[in-house]
């Protein structure tokens, strides 16, 4: 499944093939977009690049990347009497830096005649390379969305979570709804802790756990999360805004993507010698992102080194 950045409309490039050779079709192509699990689609405009045979591009509605998580394009065409129907599946992804950000920051050319010109797809590949490097190094993703995560209570007024949370909307205890942020009848008030890796019962200043809220027959342990109970927490998880450090590291690594030394490092080559010069690569290049400055900037975001309370 290919990627498309959230908040963009393409372009999406594609080719039409006949017997393994790119060739302009006799009929079509007709491009239809289907959102998520929809069975009916919307026809889009297919544009010929007028450069290479069988090369086309299309733009999707901006709603496709703002309102949906994934979609696919159905591409129908006919060559030499043979009908073809291809599908291209896309997942909508939040980039850590946009194509425009990378181009502007790095000074890449925007015209095909520029010596440092990079195509839209090349910049997207560089951002994806950087994002995957950052995710692997930190052990987490810097996206943002609603989800539900289940954990076990520890018998205290804090419930630790394995992922970062920005806000909590609902909580179920053993599949029974016990908290709804939209309700005025909750027995407790919940808050997200300062580190964003736990939710806590907001007792107010100076109150002890067991004095926080009155006991009730149906909730004898109101005031803390029962030890061993399964709590399902629904809320907005991740980062509402990409941290500036992650943004900066993305641009740095996107630039590294276009440097030739990346090819050597990806092949685990530690030294190179040509003629009267040789290059030795630090072993650290093979354990981190390959960029020592980026590694230092990412250290505070490594998930298994965070304090979670």
């Amino acid at each position: 499944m290919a990627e498309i950045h959230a908040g963009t409309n393409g372009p999406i490039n594609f080719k039409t093939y006949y017997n393994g050779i790119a060739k302009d079709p006799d009929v079509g192509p007709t491009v239809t977009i289907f959102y998520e699990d929809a069975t009916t689609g919307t026809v889009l405009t297919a544009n010929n690049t007028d450069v290479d045979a069988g090369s086309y591009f299309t733009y999707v509605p901006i709603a496709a990347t703002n309102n949906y998580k994934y979609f696919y394009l159905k591409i129908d065409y006919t060559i030499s009497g043979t009908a073809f129907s291809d599908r291209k599946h896309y997942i909508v992804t939040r980039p850590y830096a946009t194509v425009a950000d990378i181009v502007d920051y790095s000074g890449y050319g925007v015209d095909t005649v520029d010596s440092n010109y990079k195509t839209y797809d090349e910049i997207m590949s560089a951002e994806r390379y950087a994002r995957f490097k950052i995710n692997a190094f930190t052990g987490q993703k810097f996206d943002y969305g609603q989800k539900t995560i289940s954990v076990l209570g520890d018998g205290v007024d804090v419930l630790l979570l394995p992922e970062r949370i920005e806000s909590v909307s609902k909580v179920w205890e053993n599949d029974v709804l016990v908290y709804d942020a939209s309700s005025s009848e909750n027995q407790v008030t919940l808050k997200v802790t300062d580190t964003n890796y736990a939710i806590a019962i907001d007792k107010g200043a100076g109150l002890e756990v067991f004095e926080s809220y009155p006991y009730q027959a149906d909730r004898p342990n109101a005031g803390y999360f029962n030890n061993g109970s399964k709590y399902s927490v629904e809320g907005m998880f991740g980062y509402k805004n990409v941290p500036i450090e992650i943004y900066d590291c993305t641009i740095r690594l996107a630039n590294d993507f276009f440097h030739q030394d990346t090819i050597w490092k990806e092949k685990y080559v530690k030294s190179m010698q040509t003629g009267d010069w040789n290059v030795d690569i630090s072993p650290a290049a093979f354990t981190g992102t390959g960029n020592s400055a980026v590694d230092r900037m990412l250290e505070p975001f490594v998930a298994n080194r965070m304090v979670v309370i």
Side-chain angles (χ1 to χ4, degrees):
M1 183 176 289
E3 286 187 341
I4 185 170
H5 290 173
T8 68
N9 66 337
I12 290 179
N13 299 296
F14 65 93
K15 289 182 179 293
T16 53
Y17 286 93
Y18 182 74
N19 290 338
I21 300 174
K23 185 177 180 180
D24 287 332
D26 304 317
V27 179
T30 299
V31 181
T32 308
I33 186 171
F34 293 83
Y35 301 113
E36 296 184 350
D37 299 322
T39 56
T40 57
T42 302
V43 176
L44 306 179
T45 301
N47 305 279
N48 195 311
T49 63
D50 295 322
V51 177
D52 300 318
S55 295
Y56 294 84
F57 66 93
T58 189
Y59 294 100
V60 300
I62 195 68
T65 61
N66 280 336
N67 303 334
Y68 299 94
K69 294 181 179 180
Y70 58 90
F71 61 84
Y72 73 88
L73 301 181
K74 183 171 177 285
I75 305 170
D76 298 302
Y77 58 94
T78 301
I79 299 178
S80 299
T82 302
F84 296 89
S85 184
D86 299 337
R87 292 193 179 190
K88 293 175 69 69
H89 293 261
Y90 288 86
I91 183 171
V92 179
T93 302
R94 179 200 203 182
Y96 295 168
T98 67
V99 169
D101 289 335
I102 296 173
V103 169
D104 292 344
Y105 187 94
S106 307
Y108 294 126
V110 295
D111 195 299
T112 54
V113 299
D114 294 334
S115 60
N116 61 343
Y117 169 74
K118 305 297 181 186
T119 68
Y120 188 88
D121 286 346
E122 286 176 329
I123 299 296
M124 282 196 64
S125 295
E127 188 280 331
R128 182 168 56 250
Y129 168 87
R131 177 161 31 93
F132 287 1
K133 283 275 190 177
I134 290 170
N135 292 349
F137 186 86
T138 62
Q140 64 171 315
K141 296 180 180 180
F142 297 87
D143 51 13
Y144 184 64
Q146 180 175 294
K147 65 170 64 175
T148 301
I149 291 180
S150 297
V151 294
L152 296 178
D154 289 328
V156 296
D157 61 337
V158 175
L159 187 68
L160 304 182
L161 299 172
E163 296 184 30
R164 189 179 191 276
I165 187 172
E166 286 274 4
S167 62
V168 56
S169 55
K170 293 181 180 179
V171 177
W172 291 264
E173 180 183 353
N174 297 326
D175 300 324
V176 177
L177 183 66
V178 294
Y179 176 82
D180 185 342
S182 64
S183 173
S184 60
E185 300 179 357
N186 294 308
Q187 297 300 311
V188 296
T189 300
L190 298 181
K191 64 179 182 179
V192 175
T193 62
D194 292 341
T195 60
N196 296 92
Y197 275 84
I199 60 173
I201 296 174
D202 191 354
K203 304 182 297 297
L207 295 179
E208 297 297 333
V209 172
F210 300 107
E211 298 174 348
S212 301
Y213 298 95
Y215 290 107
Q216 295 189 6
D218 60 338
R219 298 288 299 141
N221 296 324
Y224 64 94
F225 297 96
N226 289 315
N227 186 32
S229 288
K230 183 187 77 171
Y231 289 92
S232 299
V233 180
E234 177 188 284
M236 297 301 293
F237 285 83
Y239 291 79
K240 188 173 183 178
N241 299 296
V242 175
I244 185 62
E245 297 91 342
I246 302 303
Y247 168 84
D248 189 78
C249 288
T250 300
I251 293 177
R252 290 170 182 262
L253 290 175
N255 276 279
D256 289 351
F257 175 79
F258 295 109
H259 293 167
Q260 291 187 357
D261 62 345
T262 299
I263 299 174
W264 297 101
K265 286 185 288 187
E266 294 295 335
K267 298 297 184 181
Y268 298 101
V269 177
K270 290 187 176 182
S271 64
M272 296 171 285
Q273 185 171 359
T274 302
D276 57 353
W277 60 271
N278 66 286
V279 176
D280 289 321
I281 300 176
S282 168
F286 306 96
T287 58
T289 64
N291 185 311
S292 61
V294 167
D295 289 352
R296 291 192 297 271
M297 294 172 66
L298 292 178
E299 281 290 338
F301 295 93
V302 175
N304 61 6
R305 299 179 190 176
M306 287 183 175
V307 178
V308 296
I309 296 178

